Amino acid sequence: MYRKEGIMQEIKIVKAEEISFDTAGDYGETEILKDTCPGIRICKCRLKAGAEIELEVYGEDDKMQLLFFTGGSGVLRSGNKIYSVDDQAVFIPDFDREPVILTAGEEEMRLIRITGPMTEVDHRQMKNCQYVLPRFVRLRESIEYTERFTQESGSKVVSHSIIAGRHLGRYTMGWNIGAGPDFIGQHTHPTLEQWYFMIDGSDFTYVAGGDKIPVKEGDVSFTPHGTSHGSECTKEGFINYVWFELNRAWEEV
């Protein structure tokens, strides 16, 4: 694992080849990047082909949960709703109001499971924007947008919003993709803790805290708030990652 000391925390990157699973049962779950941010738990998970599991769910006053399906296929059932997991997608359950059952198809289902604490701020923001759960969003159906600093720098990377600000309180999620040569210019988030999940064909250089770190598909990174960061890739490279953020603006960070 790569580590670099930041002002308050560390930049951390776990490589795909460092992640192992307990293969004894139908379902395997392994926590990655522990202790990067209080209360946030990120697990890479696998469900064997043809297997089924009912996931643990949490109350609205306890934890939020996100499921990011990264590969394979199958079906997700939430109460009387059925979703076809036939592409990369994100699911947000309606807390513990409905059971969540996963059934893998003819190939292994792969996903990233994220949980984090719910606070009074989260409840207030969700109530104000009247976001309806559960929510199932395929990456290819997410909304494109352009950040000013990206447009003005000449970058061709395409950004997408998966979970917009306030819809899940302090938590947001998006997707960036661009074939090389391309880049995302250096920028800093004063209050955002940020995780990157490198997906299909990713092969670029993550430039953070003054260091250049090669990353590829399956790698996961954590960058603490206040750290300058960006990305770049050569003609042969490919920028393709989903980002997840926690906004700590209402805390003393």
Side-chain angles (χ1 to χ4, degrees):
M1 178 186 291
Y2 173 89
R3 297 170 182 256
K4 180 179 175 66
E5 293 289 343
I7 298 173
M8 296 293 290
Q9 299 164 290
E10 296 177 330
I11 297 169
K12 297 182 181 180
I13 294 181
V14 59
K15 308 298 288 183
E17 59 268 21
E18 298 172 347
I19 302 171
S20 59
F21 293 86
D22 178 3
T23 56
D26 289 339
Y27 178 74
E29 183 174 284
T30 183
E31 186 176 0
I32 56 176
L33 295 177
K34 295 181 181 180
D35 305 320
T36 50
C37 189
I40 302 296
R41 189 170 188 264
I42 298 177
C43 295
K44 277 204 170 185
C45 313
R46 289 180 175 177
L47 181 63
K48 288 185 178 179
E52 183 173 284
I53 185 172
E54 181 172 343
L55 293 179
E56 182 179 5
V57 289
Y58 307 96
E60 190 172 358
D61 292 329
D62 185 11
K63 299 176 186 178
M64 71 85 200
Q65 180 170 200
L66 296 174
L67 305 178
F68 171 31
F69 295 94
T70 59
S73 62
V75 171
L76 184 157
R77 284 177 286 157
S78 177
N80 61 0
K81 305 173 188 68
I82 299 176
Y83 305 92
S84 176
V85 183
D86 53 7
D87 202 349
Q88 291 172 328
V90 172
F91 177 72
I92 312 170
D94 190 11
F95 298 99
D96 60 352
R97 295 184 180 94
E98 298 176 341
V100 175
I101 300 170
L102 302 181
T103 305
E106 295 181 354
E107 56 181 316
E108 175 183 80
M109 181 183 283
R110 299 182 298 279
L111 63 144
I112 294 171
R113 189 180 184 194
I114 306 172
T115 58
M118 290 291 292
T119 67
E120 183 179 334
V121 170
D122 298 319
H123 294 303
R124 183 172 67 248
Q125 291 190 347
M126 289 186 69
K127 182 178 180 180
N128 288 342
C129 72
Q130 299 183 22
Y131 198 55
V132 177
L133 298 177
R135 197 81 163 184
F136 183 82
V137 183
R138 292 181 177 87
L139 265 58
R140 57 183 165 84
E141 298 169 346
S142 56
I143 299 170
E144 290 188 18
Y145 71 96
T146 301
E147 292 180 301
R148 184 176 297 277
F149 80 88
T150 300
Q151 184 181 52
E152 291 177 349
S153 68
S155 169
K156 302 183 297 298
V157 170
V158 180
S159 299
H160 304 75
S161 175
I162 300 171
I163 303 171
R166 301 188 305 279
H167 285 182
L168 196 59
R170 298 166 299 150
Y171 304 101
T172 53
M173 199 171 202
W175 169 38
N176 287 336
I177 184 169
D182 214 336
F183 66 95
I184 297 175
Q186 287 289 304
H187 58 286
T188 302
H189 304 299
T191 61
L192 298 181
E193 315 290 12
Q194 195 169 61
W195 292 259
Y196 286 2
F197 307 103
M198 320 310 166
I199 55 177
D200 297 359
S202 266
D203 187 359
F204 65 95
T205 299
Y206 185 49
V207 185
D211 283 2
K212 295 190 173 185
I213 311 157
V215 292
K216 292 190 175 184
E217 178 181 339
D219 297 349
V220 183
S221 71
F222 167 74
T223 303
H225 67 277
T227 304
S228 179
H229 60 284
S231 303
E232 57 187 38
C233 68
T234 64
K235 182 179 179 180
E236 293 74 28
F238 189 41
I239 294 173
N240 192 16
Y241 64 88
V242 166
W243 52 261
F244 167 70
E245 293 174 342
L246 167 63
N247 191 344
R248 303 182 68 187
W250 295 269
E251 308 171 40
E252 291 185 7
V253 295

